Amino acid sequence: MDSALVPRRAPSRWDERILAALRRAARQPDGTETRVGFRNERGSLYRRATLYGVAQIVSLVIQMDRIGFEDELLFEDRSRAGCDMIFTPSSRLGAGEPKFPA
């Protein structure tokens, strides 16, 4: 799994938890490449990652749901902004802390 910040974009205040979720997902590589983006609270795509295989995708989706992010491309059949998945803070995240620890 590879991950990098997008230049000149402010990270999300939840970036440490996002990185923890990416590290957990990285433990399970198995093949197909999936490009993932992450939006900050302003809606800017600030981080990109590449996952390798279904196990990494499933792990990341579970972790991101736990910290209050959702895939905005879940019901779309094409990529956007060079990403197959884009996680954005969900409305249930609000201004408070995530419900589950990372």
Side-chain angles (χ1 to χ4, degrees):
M1 190 256 331
D2 302 311
S3 174
L5 291 171
V6 175
R8 297 177 301 282
R9 299 283 172 88
S12 170
R13 67 187 241 195
W14 311 110
D15 195 49
E16 287 183 36
R17 292 180 184 209
I18 290 168
L19 286 172
L22 285 168
R23 282 191 293 275
R24 284 187 196 96
R27 296 179 194 156
Q28 304 166 12
D30 71 3
T32 312
E33 183 176 292
T34 302
R35 297 158 304 176
V36 183
F38 300 87
R39 293 196 188 278
N40 61 20
E41 291 76 18
R42 295 181 188 148
S44 297
L45 191 66
Y46 81 93
R47 176 178 291 283
R48 293 181 187 269
T50 303
L51 302 180
Y52 300 96
V54 174
Q56 285 188 351
I57 294 167
V58 170
S59 176
L60 182 64
V61 168
I62 290 168
Q63 296 300 317
M64 295 305 293
D65 181 64
R66 286 183 177 165
I67 61 175
F69 281 70
E70 55 195 14
D71 177 13
E72 66 184 60
L73 302 180
L74 182 62
F75 298 108
E76 295 189 22
D77 59 356
R78 59 190 161 118
S79 62
R80 187 180 334 141
C83 298
D84 302 306
M85 304 171 80
I86 299 176
F87 287 98
T88 188
S90 72
S91 57
R92 65 188 168 89
L93 182 59
E97 291 292 318
K99 186 174 182 181
F100 300 99

